[in-house]
């Protein structure tokens, strides 16, 4: 029962500072028309060093694998879109004070496989095998 009370108290407090910052970033993205290249570079530059290195590797991999995807930011995160809709994104560990970064796909990604499929992956580093897997997923997601 104590667990339930804690969850309720947390919900009553509202959004965390990190969640509020992400919402403000999204509002700025909708209002300002900064080019995607610059926005992604700036978002990556703001990350902690370990997250920044991983984000740069992911960015390089996405651009090489799917050059048709356009870089942009989405809730302040580097994202890659097709026809204006985000297909995939990178969320650094520091964004919400998590223990790992995440690479995720939105519903526009063509990854459907049966009744259940993964749409996000925890990342702590990118090995050559991970790069190969991620590249294949991005190719499939783009269609």
């Amino acid at each position: 029962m104590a667990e339930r009370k804690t969850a309720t108290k947390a919900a009553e407090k509202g959004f965390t500072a990190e969640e509020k910052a992400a919402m403000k970033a999204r509002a700025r993205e909708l209002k300002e028309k900064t080019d995607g290249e610059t926005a992604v570079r700036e978002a990556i530059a703001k990350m902690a060093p370990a997250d920044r290195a991983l984000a740069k590797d992911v960015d390089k991999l996405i651009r090489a694998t799917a050059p048709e995807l356009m870089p942009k930011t989405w809730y302040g995160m580097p994202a890659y879109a097709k026809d204006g809709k985000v297909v995939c994104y990178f969320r650094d560990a520091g964004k919400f004070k998590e223990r790992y970064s995440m690479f995720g796909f939105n519903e526009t990604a063509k990854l459907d496989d049966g009744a259940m499929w993964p749409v996000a992956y925890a990342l702590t580093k990118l090995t050559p095998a991970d790069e190969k897997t991620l590249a294949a997923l991005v190719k499939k997601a783009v269609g």
Side-chain angles (χ1 to χ4, degrees):
M1 190 66 157
E3 189 176 313
R4 186 173 178 92
K5 285 183 181 179
T6 303
T8 303
K9 285 182 182 180
E12 288 174 1
K13 291 182 181 180
F15 295 108
T16 66
E18 295 81 14
E19 290 167 332
K20 288 177 185 176
M23 288 185 285
K24 286 178 183 177
R26 183 66 182 137
R28 271 191 312 275
E29 291 161 3
L30 293 170
K31 187 187 281 187
E32 300 170 3
K33 296 297 176 189
T34 307
D35 75 284
E37 289 280 338
T38 301
V40 166
R41 259 196 317 269
E42 289 174 356
I44 292 172
K46 291 177 185 175
M47 295 176 190
D51 288 336
R52 186 180 319 121
L54 187 54
K56 285 180 179 180
D57 289 345
V58 168
D59 180 67
K60 183 178 172 183
L61 182 116
I62 300 306
R63 291 171 189 260
T65 302
E68 65 271 32
L69 293 179
M70 300 302 299
K72 63 182 285 178
T73 53
W74 184 62
Y75 293 93
M77 299 177 284
Y80 306 87
K82 183 176 181 180
D83 300 326
K85 296 183 180 187
V86 173
V87 174
C88 55
Y89 59 92
F90 176 83
R91 185 172 80 201
D92 61 297
K95 182 113 181 126
F96 295 109
K97 298 179 181 174
E98 297 171 317
R99 65 182 181 96
Y100 52 81
S101 293
M102 186 182 79
F103 185 79
F105 295 95
N106 275 357
E107 65 180 34
T108 55
K110 297 176 180 168
L111 295 174
D112 304 35
D113 185 17
M116 184 173 83
W117 57 91
V119 293
Y121 297 84
L123 293 176
T124 56
K125 65 180 181 173
L126 273 181
T127 66
D130 298 332
E131 288 178 1
K132 189 175 179 180
T133 299
L134 188 58
L137 285 166
V138 169
K139 282 180 185 179
K140 183 177 180 184
V142 173

